[in-house]
Amino acid sequence: TMIDRLAQHMAASGEVLATEARFAAEIGRADLVGSVDRLVRQPDGSVVVEDLKTGAAGNAKDAEVNPQLGAYQVALGEAPVSGGARLVHVGGTSKGPSLREQPPLADAEDPGWARELVEGAATAMAAATFTATRNSMCDFCPVRRSCPLQEEGRTMGGTTA
């Protein structure tokens, strides 16, 4: 079923410019290196970054500020002309693929949000200490047992936020 959904999407998504496209960009003090699943040219000439997901689609509003998509857009900049980014979910129960769109960063309410996120992550990673911060991934975290925010990690000590 997932393969059928993926085939549906690929047939309708536009001209594929690259798959597993590697990138490297210096963003402030961050060296952002990775690969995007697909770069697809749209009929208007813009290029959309696509990230393929095997799970069910999440909230459409969350995709607008998805950190992974935002980092891809920051790394790729405006060349070629950005058409934004999208999550392509082929899992779940829908008949076809579920798309979750992120507009081009220039069109966002705060065009600098993704750059600030990348630069903030670089600053945090360069720091001598980390402050534990509760977030939506806490329930799935593989290091819960050493996290001061979790009951089982409190014996480790540390700072909480």
Side-chain angles (χ1 to χ4, degrees):
T1 303
M2 283 194 278
I3 291 171
D4 289 340
R5 288 184 193 124
L6 179 60
Q8 264 183 294
H9 174 71
M10 293 176 113
S13 66
E15 176 192 357
V16 177
L17 300 176
T19 58
E20 292 298 320
R22 304 277 312 149
F23 64 83
E26 191 174 305
I27 311 298
R29 68 186 299 176
D31 287 326
L32 201 53
V33 178
S35 63
V36 296
D37 290 341
R38 293 170 29 108
L39 294 174
V40 181
R41 185 184 325 275
Q42 301 304 288
D44 66 0
S46 66
V47 176
V48 173
V49 175
E50 291 188 340
D51 188 56
L52 305 175
K53 300 291 189 188
T54 57
N59 181 304
K61 199 76 175 149
D62 290 344
E64 293 177 12
V65 291
N66 179 282
Q68 182 180 10
L69 295 181
Y72 289 158
Q73 288 202 70
V74 168
L76 297 173
E78 292 300 316
V81 177
S82 176
R86 70 174 59 111
L87 299 170
V88 179
H89 294 271
V90 296
T93 58
S94 64
K95 287 190 175 195
S98 296
L99 306 180
R100 297 295 183 256
E101 306 282 342
Q102 184 176 84
L105 294 176
D107 296 345
E109 187 175 312
D110 174 8
W113 73 267
R115 177 175 288 279
E116 290 169 16
L117 184 72
V118 169
E119 290 176 349
T123 298
M125 294 301 295
T129 61
F130 294 97
T131 300
T133 305
R134 192 170 305 282
N135 63 66
S136 63
M137 298 304 294
C138 285
D139 290 342
F140 310 103
C141 182
V143 293
R144 302 175 54 88
R145 291 188 176 112
S146 61
C147 178
L149 296 177
Q150 304 300 324
E151 188 65 39
E152 60 264 45
R154 291 208 175 107
T155 58
M156 300 293 288
T159 321
T160 62

